[in-house]
Amino acid sequence: MNEQVIFPKPKTLSGVVKPGLPVLPEGVERHPVPGGGSRAVPVFAGDEITLQDVEGLQPIEIVFFAPDGTSDASMIGAKGGRDPNGLKVSLLQHHSGRQVLSALAKSGFDLAGADGSLVFAEGSVAGQIASFMADADGLLIVCAAGGDMEAHEQWAPTEVVLFIKRKTWRVLKGASFAPPPMADTLVDINIQPGEAKPYQVKAGEYIQVLDVQGRECSDFQAFSLRALDQGIERDIDPTTTRSLIGSLYPKPGLHAKYFSVDQEPLVEIIQDTVGRHDTFGLACSARYYEDLGYPGHPNCSDNITRELAAYNIAPRRGWPAINFFFNTMLDDAHAITMDEPYSRPGDYVMMRALTDLICISTGCPCDVDPANGWNPTDIQVRTYKKTEDFKRSIGWRKTPGADMEETKQTGFHNCFARHTRNFVEYSGYWLAQDMTNHGSIAEYWAAREKAVIMDLSPLRKYEVTGPDAEALMQLCVTRDIKKLAVGGIVYTAMCYDHGGMIDDGTVFRLGYTNFRWIGGNDQSGLWLRQKADAHKMNAWVRSSTDHHCNVAVQGPCSRDILKDIIWTPPNQPSVQELPWFRLTIGRLREFHGPSVVVSRTGYSGELGFEVFCHPKDAEEVFDAIWQAGEPYELVPLGLGALDMLRIEAGLIFAGSEFDEQTDPMEAGIGFTVPLKSKADDFIGRDALERRKENPQKKLVGLVLSGGEVPIPGDAVYLGKPQIGIVTSALKSPILGQVIALARIDLAHSSIGTELEVGQLDGEQKRLAATIVPFPHFDPKKDRVKGNYDASSQ
């Protein structure tokens, strides 16, 4: 099948491109299959079937059943004769197997007699497709088969996509495009624009408000049924909620509840795939449209009043409500403005009722402004039993047009959950912010004086392999990869053509044609894959983030903790022998222990190591480190303390010290751009040469008078004019001073220059600051090198 016929494209209208609203050609369906998982989809005679290997080197098992239970791969034009062992294992081990097993049970099909087929058995490149044609109706099962990936290995199962172009395709009148329910429903209501629907929910049950086609708002309100029975109206009060949680609106985590004016929690947000809603404005009312010149326009407030009359709830001209998906903004003049919603097709909010409720949801009819993307569409509301186990999640996407992923737990999550409940979402994963019986300051001092352990699993890992792997890395990063020895690690920048940074990260060299890129975001890995394709390189770039979790063991005692529990073969360095920026491949405790990779790296400014393993071994690895660390008073460390450590050590962070407009020199890591010693060309080189010849800004250290800590983004002034911004700041525990990193105009970056940091409006409050050398702490990096006797503040 022609790729242009099936692949989705961003919605485009009058030059406006919306990647978050991908448009499939008419009659084409898209079904992603997760790596290691499976999916079952009905097909019909004449349907065209296309399988795409997204990242390359992923074999795909397929099985087809006819309605009578016959399994014959030739019915879709595939070569059969294989036992689908990979699928059978996947159904038992992967969460996606639930949907496939349900489809098999409903159809009465038995995998024991399945005729399996293996697609891409001889290998494949990223994006490669294979096409088939269904000769009969039936059930198609697709599996991205694969097993566990050990820490030293470089292959893991990755995502594939199934496209089906229907021979017969038509939309039935009144049909909904809503995705299938997440479980058996108690209530399943489709709400058209201009409608409001009430429904009753019992304590503990779940409420899902789903934007079916994207860019549609839905007002939500909930009343305590107990209060209504007493003749009292107690509904969600946005002002009370904002005051109690200290945020514009709740989100999954510790601050997740909506409250009544009596401060009674009514609902809790469990999942949110959008993260952009409104708690300031009323539901649209008659007056709103009348003032715009549209008298008689349908509105949500009147619709809510009409439907709630059945519950003896008093009418209101304008209803305070939680306006899910409404995109509210506060501009510089403090005016409340709005734009199109962020919500994509199928986005939703999942709540849990905390008491018995009468709820109401609307489909907003507004078509006179961007509130619904100028095109009001339907909302789906579903409720589920309280026995369902919906995990807390904040939607995550690698790119604007990518599939939504739920917030994940790392392999070490349960280990850190023994010490805290304060987890925050970080790049699609739950990470600990601090520990219940310690707190960030105590965790900080443990890192400086003894040892800490921290979960860094969300760091993105990509396996770069193949004959052209070295050439690809040499092209895409600023460091000279040709000089990197096997077993070596190098810290580097990755830049766009204009010199702005994509990411910073480390390159592990596992072999002559084997590399592992570890960075902060997926864009860097996707960039590597794009460049491999654009330059026709014989190399593969495959994500391994979910197959490699890692903890950092940092602090003066870190080497002593690890040296007796990491076994290494004779051809690998031991932990004691491991120098800075080198790795070793070993096992936990002994020859038969779980596989680990240990690197002499960290993000703390202290002697430290990182231990990588497969998630299945994570708890065993953590427990071994914890047991070995008890005599050294090992402490778990969260994100709050990590930020304190890295600012003191002058270590940069994406979104703070650098972004796409910042080059490595401006970010304070000019040492990663060896323009003189690296002879080969690399992406961004020409721009970086120009920027180095004509520098404009510089990252500097500041020491501030007094005890007030500036906020990242605060302006830095030299008298009247602004000359820079604060990127990071803290009250340093070990230095006893307020310190900051700031990016300022090069002309005023000399050590000793006295500046001011502006607060409030920048004029009415100024904090005195002086430029000092950075890193503020251990500038010679003696502690990182393990030379504690030579270190000084």
Side-chain angles (χ1 to χ4, degrees), residues 469-495:
E470 181 186 82
L472 176 62
M473 298 307 300
Q474 186 79 338
L475 174 70
C476 292
V477 303
T478 56
R479 288 290 191 123
D480 193 344
I481 299 303
K482 287 183 177 179
K483 295 181 179 179
L484 184 62
V486 174
I489 302 170
V490 67
Y491 172 68
T492 183
M494 184 183 293
C495 296

Side-chain angles (χ1 to χ4, degrees), residues 105-142:
K106 290 179 181 178
S107 303
F109 299 152
D110 186 359
L111 271 181
D115 181 26
S117 179
L118 187 65
V119 183
F120 302 135
E122 303 302 320
S124 52
V125 297
Q128 188 167 336
I129 64 172
S131 297
F132 307 90
M133 178 73 74
D135 293 332
D137 296 353
L139 183 70
L140 176 66
I141 303 173
V142 178

Side-chain angles (χ1 to χ4, degrees), residues 11 68 88 124 168 185 236 256 270 325 359 392 404 408 428 471-472 526 554 647 656 736 771-772 782 790:
K11 183 177 181 179
D68 63 359
K88 293 176 181 178
S124 52
T168 303
T185 60
I236 291 174
I270 302 298
F325 317 128
C359 301
R392 289 179 174 84
M404 189 277 297
K408 302 173 183 175
L472 176 62
L526 299 176
Q554 306 280 296
I647 294 172
S656 297
I771 296 180
V772 298
D782 289 315

Side-chain angles (χ1 to χ4, degrees), residues 1-83:
M1 187 188 301
N2 188 330
E3 296 181 11
Q4 301 301 318
V5 175
I6 60 168
F7 288 169
K9 299 179 180 179
K11 183 177 181 179
T12 305
L13 185 64
S14 298
V16 178
V17 180
K18 300 180 180 180
L21 295 175
V23 178
L24 284 165
E26 186 173 289
V28 174
E29 300 172 5
R30 180 180 180 276
H31 303 277
V33 182
S38 57
R39 188 150 188 173
V41 180
V43 296
F44 304 96
D47 288 350
E48 297 179 55
I49 300 164
T50 300
L51 296 170
Q52 182 188 36
D53 181 0
V54 177
E55 300 189 18
L57 296 180
Q58 177 60 55
I60 306 173
E61 286 188 356
I62 56 175
V63 170
F64 180 80
F65 285 98
D68 63 359
T70 302
S71 180
D72 185 347
S74 66
M75 291 182 180
I76 57 171
K79 182 180 178 181
R82 291 181 57 94
D83 184 355

Side-chain angles (χ1 to χ4, degrees), residues 272-289:
D272 185 352
T273 69
V274 180
R276 190 84 171 187
H277 312 285
D278 171 65
T279 61
F280 285 94
L282 298 172
C284 63
S285 64
R287 180 174 291 276
Y288 175 76
Y289 294 106

Side-chain angles (χ1 to χ4, degrees), residues 230-246:
Q230 298 171 3
I232 303 171
E233 294 180 10
R234 287 295 181 265
D235 49 316
I236 291 174
D237 184 72
T239 302
T240 302
T241 297
R242 291 194 303 269
S243 300
L244 291 179
I245 68 170

Side-chain angles (χ1 to χ4, degrees), residues 594-607:
S595 172
V596 295
V597 170
V598 179
S599 64
R600 176 85 180 275
T601 51
Y603 194 55
S604 66
E606 297 289 341
L607 170 67

